[in-house]
Amino acid sequence: MSKLEEKKLSGVEYYRNSFLHIHEDDVLLPDGGQSKRIVVTHVGAVNIIALTAEKELLLVRQYRYPLGVETIETPAGKLEADEAPTVTAKRELEEETGYTCEALVQLGTHATAPGFTNEVLHQFLATGVTKLDVAVSGDEDEFTELLTISKDQALRMVKNGEIFDLKTVYAIQYLTLAGLW
């Protein structure tokens, strides 16, 4: 055990579904004491940063029940069982936007909220983005609206709080700092 590591002693599971479960663990602290940790175990997800040929960012507007508001976000979604993150990313891009891409470049994998969940987000840059000749399907319980915005619009929307989803703010900063916009 490292000098900062906490070791699980026991645990109780409170909820489980196909992509997450919530449990409370008793842990041994580095100083020998004990504490409790509530953990949300998540299958992981992808985030897709996709620019059209006109240099507009593909975004979706959707209602987010936990927040009680509509949000503007990059296309994203959870990993399916035994599905590689690149497969998930391409599927989610097509389902949520009606666009496809020639290639996906993985930019990194980031922890979303390490204080209470093990969820990691695989960040992808979609290249060669083109519109498909099919309707946007999405999940049966997911209602979205496609948006395409310019760099100036994106920066203004972040500044005024219209875009506050962190993975989307990351996407806008990445495109700007990498000189792709």
Side-chain angles (χ1 to χ4, degrees), residues 9-10 26 55 67 74 76 81 90 107 116 138 141-142 157 174:
L9 300 172
S10 63
D26 291 311
K55 298 289 187 196
L67 295 173
T74 45
K90 186 162 175 128
L107 303 175
F116 71 90
D141 64 346
E142 186 174 57
M157 292 170 83
Y174 175 81

Side-chain angles (χ1 to χ4, degrees), residues 119-130:
E119 180 187 20
V120 294
L121 186 64
H122 304 275
Q123 304 277 2
F124 288 96
L125 176 65
T127 61
V129 175
T130 56

Side-chain angles (χ1 to χ4, degrees), residues 47-60:
N47 182 44
I48 306 101
I49 304 169
L51 283 179
T52 66
E54 297 77 28
K55 298 289 187 196
E56 291 190 314
L57 181 61
L58 297 179
L59 298 173
V60 292

Side-chain angles (χ1 to χ4, degrees), residues 54-72:
E54 297 77 28
K55 298 289 187 196
E56 291 190 314
L57 181 61
L58 297 179
L59 298 173
V60 292
R61 180 191 314 270
Q62 61 188 321
Y63 184 81
R64 290 299 196 178
Y65 181 81
L67 295 173
V69 298
E70 289 182 1
T71 60
I72 298 172

Side-chain angles (χ1 to χ4, degrees), residues 149-162:
I149 64 170
S150 68
K151 175 184 177 182
D152 290 341
Q153 288 174 300
L155 294 173
R156 185 181 74 251
M157 292 170 83
V158 169
K159 185 175 182 180
N160 70 23
E162 285 179 83

